[in-house]
Amino acid sequence: MSEDIEKLYKDMAQSIIDGDSDISVELAQKAIAINMPPLDAITKGFVVGVNYIGDQFGLGEAFLPELVMAGEAMKAAVATLEPELLKLGEARETMGRVVLATVEGDIHEIGKTLVGTMLSASGFEVTDLGVDQPAEKIIGKALEINASIIGLSALLTTTMVRQRELIEELDKENLRPRIKVMVGGAPITRDWATKIKADGTSEDAVGAVKLAKELVGKA
Amino acid sequence: MSHKKIKTISDPKIKLEVLTKEEIIKIHEATLNIIENVGIRFPSKRALEIWEAVGADVNHDKKIVKVKPYLIEDALKQCPPKYVLAARDPQQDLPLDGNHVCLGTDGCGVEVIDINTGEKRTTELQDVRDISRVADATEEVAFHWVPVSAQDTPAEARGLHELKAVWENSTKHVQTESIYNVEEAKASMEMLEILAGGKDKLRERPMLSLMQCTAPPLGHDGGSLDAALIAAEYGVPTGFMTMSSCLTTGPATMAGTLAVGNAEVVAATALLQLAYPGAPVFYAAALTATDPRSGAYTGGGPEDFLFGAAVNALSDFYNIPLSMGSFATGAKEPNWQAGLEGGLSTFMASVVMSDMLLGCGFLHGSRIWSYAEMMMDCEIFSIIHKMMQGIVVDEETLAMDSIASVGPGGHFLAQKHTRNHTRDLFMPQFLDRRPYTLWEDKKDDARDWATAKAKKILKEHQPDPLDEKISKEFERIIKSVEKK
Ligand code: B1M
């Protein structure tokens, strides 16, 4: 492999580590211009940066804003490469698709967003619907994109029940175990998750990634 | 016998300037700039109509409102600077007049350390009753927040079950953060009317106040806005609390987070004044910094302590009472961290004379109730109460006669002056000053004594009962809200 290509991979990784979307997009365009296979740009270049930041975050050396900005830079680079992938009929191999939301009646956002960021950084394709989302919409989206996991955040004791209702709905429609459900939020305990027959819960975003990997059989 | 005395901090001798006049004005100007140019989200039809009627720039799709500074400033001038939080027992009314710091319990916990088993478990209605009864007996707790959630009651009427439980177990003022939709807000006003004995009396002596959270950054919750408007209509004191947090729902910088939080509170407060000029309102805040490593929001830490003092500078600038989050801690049990965070946050919020302090009793970022923590928080408040009295310097306290009669050498223990003033000194309940060997025999500490005290109160204290007829009426109202 030429030194130039080697350097390009390094720069790609660094653009993610620096959380610089402008540069990551520029490098993705450069990859296209020199006919680098888009999958190579992703896996040998950008993903290396994501993994590095993820590891540093796990070690307590990188902080949240760095993680989030790395995620943004990664998303921007992948979006730039996506049309090329499509042209080639290739797809980036992901850990699986996740639809994420805070349940209806609940506007707590931060925990859900963090879980989404960590899942994306770990190779999941995450569709974050936002807060205050009714079950129909969440299930509809999951079917639309053929998601393997629905992730539900609830922080209020009055809205926890929405998690149960959604699971009952899935059962009624015979959509499980095709779609797995993971739940979380301040009042959510393991007992609760068991009681409502969720497929699992975690107390933080790092745990959420571990759980999601287990659920898609890639732990 | 029930305690009627309430300990509040007043006539402080210690002062602190955390923000200069110029800095306060800079934050105020940034706030107005945000409200005028960035806008605030008001996802409530009613709120948007009120804004539109006064000529604000309303985007109905995005539900974002942009308001000219003069509209905000004029509206804020209508806020009453002083009023009273009434209690079932008028002796326990609390003046919000800038010269009293009143301690409340924290609120809306989801788990409790069971006082008998020591195990952590989900909270129930009986916990609301028990905690309220203990709070009723302590002189440090001046008013209640609904301390934990009654998770064994139907969600749609839970906030009402909780109010009933507190009123039945205490004669002190109640503030709730658990009423945040129209149905429960209306029903709670109906309950209050019955408790007060009529709509006019309710307005004169509101025995309930409502606290609503803003939705940072720069937004509100629709249900909370509608509930606040209903309370304001009844003359029930209402406050908006910002929980904007450095890094996540606010910029990493403290000044920026203050501006974001202030914009949320100021805009919502102005809304209430536009709808009901002169309605009693308060400023509420629990600003803090997010943990950069995990994103956790637990309260505590140096930024939290500084915010505790800074927000009062802002609420003083607007001349409205403040309800300030204090005692927040990420500690998992009552320990070094809990004591540190409770002590410093409460000192900073008290030294600037925040009118209301929220609140004692919680661990793990406002999630787990602990009776031991509650009792020890009360002692922290008492210590700060004592410190705020400062050092009195006059003829009597200089004790020249006593000093002369003891002379060089000897001791002051046998002096009349000493005996007369011994009780000026602070008598701790939970500070360990025993000989080492005594401790070694038992290896017990503040937590054990605090738990024992709470147990004793639970066993012995009977609050003045609520008229049974009123309880029956409450029941009827609650039933009408519950889904059939
Ligand atoms: C899919 O799989 C998974 C897996 C793991 C998952 C997961 C999903 N989702 C989360 N996780 C897990 O991983 C995440 C990352 O580590 C973690 O997510 P968390 O969200 O727990 O953690 C975040 C990173 C940081 N944590 C947070 O952001 C939440 C912190 C606390 C203090 C909190 C905040 C900040 C807020 N609040 Co609210 N709030 C509290 C919270 C108390 C607490 N310490 O939890 C809680 C949850 N709130 C409460 C209340 C009462 C309310 N809040 C309200 C509003 C708000 C704010 C908007 C002000 C703000 C949120 C701002 C925002 N933009 O998100 C109101 C609700 C309005 C509504 N309709 O939703 C309001 C009702 C208050 C009011 N009267 O207006 C309490 C609920 C009590 C109860 N009994 O239900 C509360 C426990 C605090 C308290 N004691 O009062 C894990 O839980």
Side-chain angles (χ1 to χ4, degrees):
Chain A
M1 182 165 36
S2 84
E3 260 171 46
D4 283 356
I5 301 268
E6 188 78 354
K7 167 135 193 336
L8 185 53
Y9 286 151
K10 269 216 173 101
D11 289 347
M12 285 170 166
Q14 193 60 43
S15 72
I16 303 298
I17 294 169
D18 294 341
D20 195 326
S21 300
D22 291 344
I23 296 189
S24 72
V25 167
E26 212 174 275
L27 294 172
Q29 282 160 350
K30 194 165 162 191
I32 298 169
I34 63 166
N35 284 323
M36 175 187 274
L39 270 181
D40 280 0
I42 294 177
T43 53
K44 296 182 184 163
F46 297 115
V47 164
V48 177
V50 170
N51 288 345
Y52 177 81
I53 281 286
D55 289 345
Q56 290 299 104
F57 184 75
L59 292 170
E61 298 290 337
F63 298 152
L64 266 185
E66 286 145 6
L67 185 72
V68 173
M69 290 181 77
E72 298 287 320
M74 179 73 192
K75 239 190 255 164
V78 170
T80 310
L81 294 166
E82 208 105 73
E84 293 305 307
L85 283 172
L86 278 179
K87 262 191 240 159
L88 298 169
E90 287 177 350
R92 181 159 90 94
E93 206 191 323
T94 69
M95 300 287 289
R97 296 205 179 97
V98 182
V99 172
L100 195 63
T102 301
V103 298
E104 188 167 17
D106 199 323
I107 59 165
H108 292 87
E109 175 133 48
I110 306 301
K112 167 199 60 65
T113 304
L114 270 183
V115 169
T117 304
M118 287 294 282
L119 285 173
S120 302
S122 311
F124 285 89
E125 210 180 310
V126 178
T127 306
D128 185 341
L129 294 177
V131 298
D132 192 9
Q133 294 297 319
E136 314 90 77
K137 211 169 142 196
I138 301 171
I139 297 175
K141 191 73 194 179
L143 291 174
E144 181 194 321
I145 66 165
N146 196 16
S148 33
I149 298 179
I150 288 179
L152 296 177
S153 199
L155 268 85
L156 298 171
T157 47
T158 46
T159 57
M160 288 159 70
V161 288
R162 303 280 103 83
Q163 296 178 335
R164 182 193 348 232
E165 288 166 10
L166 188 138
I167 290 172
E168 284 170 356
E169 190 59 35
L170 285 178
D171 280 336
K172 219 164 60 197
E173 307 285 329
N174 276 326
L175 290 168
R176 292 208 309 165
R178 186 177 123 203
I179 300 177
K180 302 270 196 314
V181 181
M182 50 192 272
V183 296
I188 307 306
T189 57
R190 204 161 284 158
D191 284 351
W192 170 254
T194 313
K195 195 161 126 192
I196 65 170
K197 303 196 180 75
D199 295 289
T201 181
S202 81
E203 240 197 297
D204 66 2
V206 176
V209 171
K210 211 172 137 236
L211 173 63
K213 284 183 177 168
E214 281 165 23
L215 293 182
V216 295
K218 293 183 181 160
Chain B
M1 193 201 80
S2 63
H3 283 273
K4 291 297 174 194
K5 225 171 73 196
I6 289 181
K7 192 182 254 184
T8 58
I9 294 170
S10 55
D11 303 319
K13 277 206 75 187
I14 307 181
K15 290 202 167 55
L16 174 87
E17 189 186 57
V18 67
L19 292 171
T20 63
K21 186 84 211 230
E22 292 74 46
E23 288 166 339
I24 294 167
I25 288 173
K26 265 193 198 162
I27 295 170
H28 171 64
E29 281 167 356
T31 300
L32 293 179
N33 186 325
I34 292 170
I35 299 174
E36 182 179 11
N37 299 307
V38 185
I40 307 283
R41 209 166 154 260
F42 281 90
S44 142
K45 190 164 166 277
R46 212 180 146 193
L48 292 178
E49 282 167 7
I50 294 167
W51 283 121
E52 199 148 53
V54 295
D57 169 5
V58 175
N59 179 329
H60 283 275
D61 277 347
K62 295 193 171 139
K63 306 196 179 348
I64 290 177
V65 174
K66 296 180 179 172
V67 194
K68 292 264 179 275
Y70 77 90
L71 269 174
I72 298 286
E73 289 189 307
D74 286 353
L76 290 181
K77 283 189 195 125
Q78 311 276 341
C79 301
K82 294 178 190 180
Y83 52 91
V84 169
L85 293 182
R88 251 181 66 204
D89 175 357
Q91 287 180 73
Q92 295 175 318
D93 283 3
L94 305 173
L96 301 186
D97 57 2
N99 189 32
H100 288 84
V101 181
C102 313
L103 173 65
T105 60
D106 213 324
C108 275
V110 294
E111 292 185 292
V112 59
I113 311 282
D114 189 289
I115 194 162
N116 295 310
T117 65
E119 299 291 323
K120 179 166 74 64
R121 61 165 172 79
T122 300
T123 54
E124 297 173 353
L125 186 61
Q126 188 57 39
D127 298 313
V128 181
R129 298 189 184 113
D130 289 347
I131 296 168
S132 303
R133 201 146 55 81
V134 176
D136 187 67
T138 47
E139 60 177 14
E140 290 89 352
V141 177
F143 69 100
H144 303 267
W145 248 20
V146 171
V148 296
S149 293
Q151 296 180 59
D152 52 346
T153 61
E156 69 276 9
R158 191 169 293 164
L160 305 174
H161 280 283
E162 292 166 352
L163 278 183
K164 174 170 177 280
V166 186
W167 273 322
E168 283 175 344
N169 285 280
S170 176
T171 48
K172 293 177 182 176
H173 180 82
V174 185
Q175 188 166 98
T176 178
E177 66 154 348
S178 315
I179 301 281
Y180 45 95
N181 60 50
V182 170
E183 296 73 34
E184 283 189 284
K186 283 190 176 150
S188 69
M189 293 305 123
E190 215 185 310
M191 286 167 76
L192 191 55
E193 211 176 310
I194 287 165
L195 187 68
K199 219 172 178 169
D200 293 346
K201 295 217 177 91
L202 178 167
R203 198 173 281 279
E204 253 165 56
R205 297 193 64 256
M207 290 183 247
L208 175 72
S209 49
L210 252 62
M211 203 288 299
Q212 302 297 344
C213 277
T214 68
L218 305 180
H220 291 283
D221 173 51
S224 296
L225 288 169
D226 292 340
L229 283 163
I230 290 170
E233 180 190 340
Y234 279 78
V236 167
T238 307
F240 282 92
M241 169 181 274
T242 173
M243 292 174 110
S244 179
S245 179
C246 294
L247 272 199
T248 49
T249 50
T253 45
M254 294 187 68
T257 294
L258 272 172
V260 166
N262 197 44
E264 294 158 6
V265 175
V266 158
T269 307
L271 173 81
L272 293 189
Q273 293 306 323
L274 289 168
Y276 302 101
V281 286
F282 56 92
Y283 192 124
L287 299 172
T288 193
T290 305
D291 180 61
R293 291 203 172 91
S294 64
Y297 177 111
T298 60
E303 294 84 9
D304 196 282
F305 311 151
L306 280 166
F307 280 135
V311 179
N312 196 63
L314 292 172
S315 71
D316 274 356
F317 177 75
Y318 299 117
N319 209 6
I320 53 178
L322 172 68
S323 182
M324 189 67 211
S326 76
F327 283 114
T329 180
K332 307 298 179 277
E333 44 177 42
N335 57 14
W336 172 80
Q337 183 183 347
L340 170 81
E341 295 186 317
L344 283 174
S345 64
T346 305
F347 177 75
M348 291 294 275
S350 299
V351 77
V352 294
M353 298 300 283
S354 305
D355 303 80
M356 294 165 269
L357 296 181
L358 306 162
C360 64
F362 269 167
L363 296 168
H364 190 35
S366 305
R367 276 170 281 185
I368 304 174
W369 181 270
S370 152
Y371 286 94
E373 180 70 10
M374 174 199 195
M375 288 298 160
M376 292 189 290
D377 285 347
C378 283
E379 175 125 317
I380 290 176
F381 180 76
S382 278
I383 291 171
I384 293 168
H385 176 269
K386 172 70 188 169
M387 286 167 67
M388 294 288 290
Q389 293 165 7
I391 299 170
V392 181
V393 182
D394 59 22
E395 218 170 294
E396 174 66 14
T397 59
L398 279 170
M400 292 309 284
D401 289 348
S402 185
I403 293 170
S405 75
V406 172
H411 60 73
F412 287 86
L413 285 170
Q415 298 293 312
K416 247 197 197 129
H417 180 275
T418 305
R419 196 192 56 204
N420 289 346
H421 288 280
T422 302
R423 281 176 172 71
D424 297 355
L425 299 174
F426 184 72
M427 307 293 164
Q429 306 175 68
F430 306 136
L431 299 180
D432 193 346
R433 294 168 168 177
R434 293 171 296 177
Y436 193 87
T437 45
L438 262 190
W439 168 77
E440 210 171 22
D441 286 347
K442 293 191 174 164
K443 297 246 170 76
D444 57 353
D445 67 21
R447 292 177 285 193
D448 305 296
W449 309 326
T451 307
K453 182 172 177 188
K455 273 190 184 162
K456 186 168 184 298
I457 294 174
L458 274 175
K459 213 168 132 204
E460 294 172 0
H461 178 67
Q462 286 309 330
D464 294 350
L466 183 67
D467 185 339
E468 255 177 54
K469 269 187 260 153
I470 294 182
S471 279
K472 280 258 148 15
E473 288 286 292
F474 283 179
E475 240 162 68
R476 177 185 60 76
I477 295 168
I478 294 172
K479 276 263 152 2
S480 75
V481 174
E482 283 177 3
K483 284 192 195 125
K484 299 292 138 24

